[in-house]
Amino acid sequence: METSLTAAVDALRRSGLEPVVRQAPRQWSASPVEPGAWVRMPGDEAYAVVTVADIRPGERVGDWEEVRTLPDPTAVLGFTAAFYERRPDAATLPLEHGDPVAVPSGQFHSVFPEDVVAAVEDWAQWEATWAVVPAVEPASRRRARLQRLATSKLTSGTVPVDIALDPMLLSMLSPEQAEDLDETVAGLFLPGIRWWFPRDRTGGRFAGRTQVLLRELVPPSTAAGKGIWLAVGTAAGGGLRAGLGRFAGRSAYHRWDRMPQYWQSPATTVDELWGGQGPRLQTVVDALLSGHALEALDMCGVTTDRATARVLQGLPECFRLREWTDKWTTNATALMANAAPWRWAASPPERRRPRRLETLGGFGASRRPGLFLGAPEGPAHLSFAQSGSPLVAPRVEWERDPDFDLVRLGLLTTGQIPLRRR
């Protein structure tokens, strides 16, 4: 059996692949320059590169691994197949006409060229193998949940809303802040608080352990600190309770300080709450609920980066993270089903910095994958990133008011929504 690059190239060509021989990528600039057989792989710029290398038997029979140091008495001459891909965030890129120093996203070792060919053929199908169809919530399940939500809203008029102000936090307010608090408490729009307070996953009950931040009275002393807020949460004996608390507003998903229509200044029309109505919005929502999020974003003038587009289409974000495709696409599709992208362009200038909509799952706190909404230049832009940033976009700023769907399905009428009556 011949162990040479020529043998590997011949085996690749017999399988129908089209290898090109040129300098192989190196993990270190001091590594020796060696030739490799490059085979184009699916992806923006991805290649499988086969080289001749010293390998050794692995822990299991039939497995092989690369030799770390020489001399090694168990080392034999064999083949290494490595998968390289362009990564926008990488310091070094495995480019066809660029820096040959690169780290592979996957490797395979064998003494048999046929085994290497089989691995390369498998890699050539990686996108199709790991792609998923964006799954949406079944219409019957969605309607049942929204029916429970409508019932909960319509019967919320008698829910008690208590006021309990922590004396210790109250003593920390200046006279001006205390006066502002008194005016705010006196002006609370209780029907709106009962109506729009977040519900749990079933839709029928108030979300426990949820705090909705209404107004910040004392700002934090540091950017990462907590301020003193007037907030509303569930009470132990049932109902709701408004009080003071310390919260980091920049990382709070439930903030209503920019949505006074819910708790302080009732809206006069549903258009003020929903950002409009009409056939266009109905078409956008239809696309979102059917799993065609990219079409909906395009209709609303929202741009996306490559990774977001791939995740929303059910494609792997990249080869090395391909096993996360199902989880990320499922969570991103569920997120977009409740979105109101036609409102995103109205984000104020001071909030143009990308803010997390939701975490899609996976990894640690320092690199949580998620979708981020920002507008660095002009239109609203949705991007996918792995970031530990605490900045989040409050849900009322990017989600669709549930009443939009309830009215659309005939479960509510606009006359039942608490508005400012003229």
Side-chain angles (χ1 to χ4, degrees):
M1 180 182 64
E2 182 184 358
T3 304
S4 66
L5 188 60
T6 300
V9 169
D10 291 342
L12 290 168
R13 286 175 176 164
R14 285 195 299 270
S15 70
L17 299 172
E18 300 179 358
V20 175
V21 178
R22 58 174 175 269
Q23 178 182 337
R26 297 171 293 163
Q27 284 193 246
W28 312 102
S29 57
S31 301
V33 176
E34 297 179 345
W38 292 60
V39 180
R40 188 73 170 85
M41 294 284 106
D44 285 351
E45 188 168 356
Y47 299 89
V49 181
V50 179
T51 57
V52 176
D54 292 309
I55 60 177
R56 52 176 291 171
E59 295 182 357
R60 294 185 301 179
V61 176
D63 286 352
W64 297 87
E65 61 186 29
E66 64 178 321
V67 175
R68 299 291 184 181
T69 58
L70 289 173
D72 186 327
T74 64
V76 298
L77 197 62
F79 302 96
T80 292
F83 190 103
Y84 295 93
E85 61 185 336
R86 171 192 284 273
R87 295 295 301 157
D89 56 347
T92 56
L93 304 176
L95 305 179
E96 181 178 359
H97 302 293
D99 190 342
V101 179
V103 177
S105 298
Q107 283 188 312
F108 177 81
H109 311 279
S110 179
V111 294
F112 303 106
E114 292 77 12
D115 291 347
V116 173
V117 171
V120 174
E121 289 178 329
D122 183 60
W123 287 347
Q125 304 299 320
W126 76 274
E127 280 193 338
T129 299
W130 291 94
V132 299
V133 177
V136 297
E137 183 181 21
S140 58
R141 184 186 304 172
R142 178 178 177 81
R143 185 179 181 88
R145 176 172 55 81
L146 291 177
Q147 178 67 70
R148 291 190 293 269
L149 176 60
T151 301
S152 175
K153 284 174 172 281
L154 291 172
T155 58
S156 65
T158 58
V159 172
V161 181
D162 300 329
I163 308 296
L165 303 178
D166 187 323
M168 179 175 295
L169 294 178
L170 193 59
S171 66
M172 300 175 65
L173 304 183
S174 68
E176 293 77 11
Q177 292 165 344
E179 182 179 354
D180 184 27
L181 173 62
D182 291 340
E183 293 178 358
T184 300
V185 171
L188 289 179
F189 179 48
L190 300 185
I193 292 175
R194 298 185 185 103
W195 185 269
W196 281 291
F197 191 88
R199 267 59 172 186
D200 62 10
R201 291 181 181 274
T202 69
R205 295 188 296 269
F206 289 132
R209 299 183 180 180
T210 294
Q211 293 287 335
V212 176
L213 309 189
L214 303 182
R215 171 165 292 173
E216 188 177 46
L217 299 164
V218 180
S221 56
T222 63
K226 296 180 179 181
I228 298 179
W229 285 77
L230 176 65
V232 176
T234 53
L240 301 173
R241 175 170 295 168
L244 298 176
R246 287 188 174 276
F247 301 98
R250 66 204 305 254
S251 60
Y253 284 104
H254 297 288
R255 276 182 61 173
W256 289 1
D257 53 325
R258 296 191 64 86
M259 197 66 179
Q261 296 92 329
Y262 283 179
W263 62 279
Q264 186 180 47
S265 304
T268 56
T269 66
V270 292
D271 285 3
E272 186 180 340
L273 295 170
W274 301 344
Q277 296 187 74
R280 172 179 169 273
L281 267 58
Q282 302 285 352
T283 304
V284 171
V285 173
D286 286 339
L288 293 172
L289 294 179
S290 61
H292 298 97
L294 283 180
E295 294 180 16
L297 294 174
D298 185 62
M299 284 187 279
C300 297
V302 179
T303 60
T304 62
D305 63 356
R306 168 196 171 276
T308 299
R310 291 180 67 85
V311 169
L312 290 178
Q313 293 177 91
L315 296 174
E317 197 273 322
C318 65
F319 178 83
R320 63 186 177 89
L321 299 176
R322 59 197 182 280
E323 67 273 14
W324 293 97
T325 305
D326 190 3
K327 186 180 188 69
W328 289 349
T329 295
T330 298
N331 291 339
T333 302
L335 177 157
M336 292 303 302
N338 298 317
W342 60 86
R343 296 174 50 210
W344 294 358
S347 180
E350 67 271 16
R351 300 204 172 184
R352 293 298 189 179
R353 182 179 175 186
R355 296 176 296 156
R356 184 189 304 274
L357 300 187
E358 291 283 1
T359 297
L360 300 183
F363 311 143
S366 62
R367 49 175 294 208
R368 294 172 294 154
L371 293 182
F372 289 75
L373 178 62
E377 296 180 1
H381 182 74
L382 190 63
S383 60
F384 174 91
Q386 300 171 40
S387 169
S389 171
L391 291 176
V392 303
R395 288 179 179 172
V396 295
E397 293 186 9
W398 65 268
E399 275 193 336
R400 200 163 59 253
D401 187 336
D403 293 347
F404 183 96
D405 291 359
L406 297 179
V407 171
R408 188 168 179 251
L409 294 174
L411 301 176
L412 282 182
T413 66
T414 56
Q416 293 171 308
I417 300 173
L419 301 172
R420 183 186 298 116
R421 304 305 175 186
R422 296 177 179 177

